[in-house]
Amino acid sequence: MLAALAGVLLAVTGASRPWARVSSAVELPGLGQGRFGGAGLSGNDLAPLSGLALLVLVLVLGIAVTRGRGRVVVGLALVALGGALVVGAVAAAGRAGDQAVEQARRGQLEGVPAGSLRVATPRAGPLLVTAGGLLVVAAGAEAVRRGPAWPALGAAFRAPPDRPVVAEGDGEPPWEGD
């Protein structure tokens, strides 16, 4: 499950980084061209990547509280969510530059005046989200493969009706330690 948590960290970090930077170049007579104003789009502006990554945290908790076949279901959900992160990152990275230019031309990017637009598309953000998604897929596959054999939470974490009944004189209940 540490791999899933590392995947969440990578995906949230990558989704918050700039995926496209737009700046405007203006022609200054006798001085040449100069950059004037700029704005950026993060991965979260292009797709709900951080939201998907945070859902993985819920599923990691689901692995802890389920047993047997329930862990297989949660593991399959982790695989699907990790795959959605990878596909979302690749799709958003492919259209990041075009979408940034389109928003700048419509005046939706504050600080970018009209003029000839320049776009830079750093690759660190998409790579981090993709790596995080792949880690989540691997963690989900491992939960499907080995999850049913992992130990379950102890009796202290069960709801009162599910706890073992202790007959009087048997000593302490199993959930109360020494």
Side-chain angles (χ1 to χ4, degrees):
M1 294 301 87
L2 289 177
L5 294 175
V8 168
L9 181 64
L10 286 173
V12 169
T13 301
S16 64
R17 295 182 59 87
W19 288 33
R21 289 190 186 116
V22 181
S23 62
S24 182
V26 292
E27 185 69 36
L28 302 172
L31 297 174
Q33 246 187 15
R35 289 177 62 171
F36 183 74
L41 288 178
S42 71
N44 289 324
D45 294 332
L46 302 167
L49 299 171
S50 285
L52 288 174
L54 293 176
L55 271 172
V56 172
L57 293 177
V58 174
L59 292 176
V60 167
L61 183 62
I63 289 287
V65 299
T66 58
R67 326 175 215 182
R69 291 186 182 155
R71 287 194 177 144
V72 171
V73 172
V74 176
L76 290 172
L78 277 170
V79 169
L81 202 50
L85 277 169
V86 171
V87 169
V90 170
R95 69 176 193 278
D98 295 336
Q99 194 164 351
V101 168
E102 181 182 323
Q103 286 185 7
R105 290 186 197 269
R106 285 188 287 177
Q108 293 176 335
L109 289 180
E110 195 173 311
V112 181
S116 69
L117 299 173
R118 293 182 185 173
V119 179
T121 53
R123 294 292 171 208
L127 289 174
L128 286 172
V129 173
T130 302
L134 291 174
L135 276 173
V136 170
V137 168
E142 190 67 13
V144 168
R145 195 178 99 180
R146 294 187 183 180
W150 292 338
L153 289 177
F157 297 100
R158 294 187 197 158
D162 294 337
R163 291 182 183 154
V165 178
V166 177
E168 233 173 278
D170 279 351
E172 290 183 23
W175 58 84
E176 291 181 5
D178 295 14

